[in-house]
Amino acid sequence: EICRVWDMSMDEDVALFLQEFNAPDIFMGVLAKSKCPRLREICVGILGNMACFQEICVSISSDKNLGQVLLHCLYDSDPPTLLETSRLLLTCLSQTEVASVWVERIREYPAIYDSICFIMSSSTNVDLLVKVGEVVDKLFDLDEKLMLEWIKNGAVQPLDPPQEDSEEQPVFKIVPCVLEAAKQVRSENPEGLDVYMHILQLLTTVDDGIQAIVQCPDTGKDTWNLLFDLVCHEFCQSDDPPIILQEQKTVLASVYSVLSAIYASRAEQEYLKIEEDLPLIDSLIRVLQNMEHCQKKPENSVDSNTEETKKSDLTQDDFHLKILKDISCEFLSNIFQVLTKETVAQGLKEGQLSKEKCSCAFQNLLPFYSPVIEDFLKILHEVDKTLADDLEKSFPSLKAQT
């Protein structure tokens, strides 16, 4: 019967009725006392449904005791209860009126960091990992200060050595936990992978976050290897239709952004191999080629009722494609800057730097990265003068400058 109430609570009238009869207080009592995992899951689930409605969400969020009890559910060992708790938290964090209340509450309970890191690093429940990832992504997006606190959390070692008879508590670091979750969701949930890649991208927006990735060689190497494998062997491959880019544009933007941030510190990173530059160039140019295809709008007539909707969708798509293009061009220019004569010769031999691909790179990098292209052309003149001359003819602005 309580399961039927759970289903019915998705209806706003039922949710308001439950609110009127103080259901949140009743559920709080159950959560505080019951040891039955199924009942706890259902109570949090009903509250999660009720919180989808703004008025009720504000009411639930303003109850400090209920807030404490709900956050305490994050320490639960039952995956379904953890899933419903994460769903409820995400719903509240998505409501602008109450988001800051929950961020502050979470900041007051440092143990939540350990609990979330434990879930990310050890759970095999993909649904739970995706929802927890969405919560972390939302928290970092809302509050940079909290993100910095969580980055530093794992970096601080306890001052006192553990006693011989006490169990040593694991020290969770945010980046390895995020990577572990990303590997777990990778094959089963593309949207989940997108979420975890965006968490990594948010981490690279602050210097402490970049250091958290690259400072420990093992963590930096793991991050690089996973992301390199994604762009070179999984996303936007040569046998994929160009339109695949529409599905992968946000996750690719995050992945390239993180790779670029690691690449910028390559002098310090022994795991960044020069021989990986050409596969990256190949991947980036293929994305730029597919982008040109995606941006050619079909001339089909559209139904008048859906015309406005389609316009707004296209605008959103164009916006994400532009972000991906900007990130790809910056990353590509960084790689071009360190290309050696030997690497260029190898790229020509293996096809990563064919005339078609170089033209695509030039088309996208000019005029913003003109000095980079000019330096690349100087090397190309030494390796393949005919190709260099052909490219200069195709791009007269370069000929004028070189």
Side-chain angles (χ1 to χ4, degrees):
E1 286 176 349
I2 192 77
C3 261
R4 284 167 63 194
V5 175
W6 188 3
D7 290 339
M8 290 164 64
S9 63
M10 287 188 284
D11 181 280
E12 187 171 9
D13 289 336
V14 175
L16 288 165
F17 177 83
L18 289 169
Q19 166 87 351
E20 193 180 329
F21 281 86
N22 297 324
D25 287 346
I26 296 167
F27 297 146
M28 179 168 66
V30 174
L31 291 168
K33 294 174 185 173
S34 174
K35 302 292 182 212
C36 172
R38 183 75 180 135
L39 186 56
R40 291 169 63 78
E41 175 204 355
I42 294 168
C43 288
V44 181
I46 295 172
L47 285 168
N49 283 351
M50 292 172 69
C52 293
F53 307 107
Q54 188 181 359
E55 180 189 330
I56 302 174
C57 185
V58 171
S59 172
I60 288 172
S61 302
S62 60
D63 186 331
K64 193 174 180 183
N65 292 333
L66 180 56
Q68 287 176 348
V69 169
L70 288 169
L71 287 179
H72 199 74
C73 291
L74 283 174
Y75 312 142
D76 211 297
S77 58
D78 177 56
T81 304
L82 287 167
L83 176 61
E84 291 309 317
T85 307
S86 303
R87 186 172 75 88
L88 169 60
L89 263 180
L90 185 63
T91 302
C92 294
L93 289 167
S94 302
Q95 295 267 10
T96 49
E97 295 84 357
V98 298
S100 58
V101 174
W102 287 96
V103 171
E104 281 310 312
R105 270 189 197 138
I106 289 166
R107 186 179 276 120
E108 286 169 18
Y109 293 93
I112 289 174
Y113 165 83
D114 288 321
S115 182
I116 284 178
C117 283
F118 178 71
I119 294 167
M120 291 194 294
S121 60
S122 62
S123 178
T124 55
N125 184 318
V126 171
D127 291 337
L128 174 58
L129 286 171
V130 173
K131 201 53 71 179
V132 165
E134 288 174 346
V135 170
V136 174
D137 190 36
K138 193 72 183 170
L139 282 169
F140 286 2
D141 208 18
L142 285 168
D143 196 285
E144 189 179 286
K145 191 177 165 192
L146 179 76
M147 180 170 77
L148 286 164
E149 285 173 13
W150 281 23
I151 290 167
K152 289 170 185 169
N153 260 356
V156 180
Q157 299 293 331
L159 293 173
D160 302 319
Q163 301 298 314
E164 283 182 25
D165 55 348
S166 71
E167 284 188 31
E168 189 176 345
Q169 294 298 312
V171 178
F172 291 112
K173 296 188 177 183
I174 191 73
V175 178
C177 296
V178 169
L179 285 179
E180 196 54 48
K183 289 172 191 172
Q184 193 70 43
V185 303
R186 175 179 177 176
S187 57
E188 292 184 54
N189 194 303
E191 291 81 12
L193 183 62
D194 198 343
V195 168
Y196 280 100
M197 292 302 104
H198 192 251
I199 293 171
L200 285 175
Q201 184 183 5
L202 286 172
L203 289 172
T204 63
T205 60
V206 293
D207 191 52
D208 284 345
I210 295 172
Q211 291 308 311
I213 294 172
V214 301
Q215 215 163 32
C216 170
D218 288 346
T219 304
K221 188 177 179 182
D222 280 355
T223 309
W224 178 267
N225 288 346
L226 173 64
L227 273 55
F228 179 85
D229 190 46
L230 286 172
V231 295
C232 292
H233 303 118
E234 194 162 317
F235 293 141
C236 200
Q237 296 303 289
S238 54
D239 54 352
D240 288 334
I243 200 69
I244 195 80
L245 196 64
Q246 289 288 11
E247 288 176 30
Q248 298 175 350
K249 56 186 179 290
T250 55
V251 68
L252 270 168
S254 296
V255 172
Y256 282 145
S257 185
V258 178
L259 283 172
S260 187
I262 299 174
Y263 195 86
S265 60
R266 75 174 294 160
E268 308 156 37
Q269 315 308 327
E270 291 177 9
Y271 51 82
L272 297 183
K273 305 178 185 74
I274 291 171
E275 56 266 30
E276 291 180 341
D277 286 352
L278 289 172
L280 283 172
I281 287 173
D282 202 39
S283 167
L284 287 158
I285 291 177
R286 188 160 54 245
V287 164
L288 292 169
Q289 286 173 325
N290 285 0
M291 200 172 293
E292 288 169 13
H293 184 279
C294 290
Q295 287 171 332
K296 288 174 186 168
K297 303 280 192 301
E299 297 291 325
N300 302 343
S301 59
V302 289
D303 182 53
S304 58
N305 293 333
T306 59
E307 193 166 351
E308 285 305 312
T309 317
K310 289 196 176 182
K311 269 186 191 169
S312 63
D313 287 348
L314 285 171
T315 308
Q316 188 74 351
D317 281 343
D318 288 346
F319 174 71
H320 287 299
L321 284 171
K322 185 182 184 309
I323 290 173
L324 175 57
K325 181 179 177 179
D326 290 347
I327 291 168
S328 302
C329 287
E330 185 180 352
F331 190 16
L332 188 59
S333 76
N334 287 340
I335 300 175
F336 264 51
Q337 283 179 65
V338 297
L339 287 179
T340 61
K341 192 173 167 182
E342 293 72 25
T343 312
V344 171
Q346 189 186 343
L348 290 169
K349 186 180 172 186
E350 294 176 3
Q352 291 102 335
L353 292 171
S354 64
K355 182 181 178 182
E356 183 193 2
K357 289 181 178 176
C358 285
S359 294
C360 176
F362 285 23
Q363 189 80 42
N364 286 280
L365 293 179
L366 293 170
F368 299 110
Y369 298 98
S370 295
V372 174
I373 298 299
E374 287 159 25
D375 289 344
F376 170 73
L377 268 174
K378 285 173 190 168
I379 296 173
L380 195 58
H381 265 291
E382 295 178 42
V383 181
D384 188 333
K385 189 173 185 311
T386 309
L387 176 56
D389 288 341
D390 281 354
L391 287 167
E392 283 184 341
K393 281 177 196 166
S394 302
F395 296 90
S397 60
L398 284 170
K399 184 124 178 127
Q401 291 168 31
T402 49

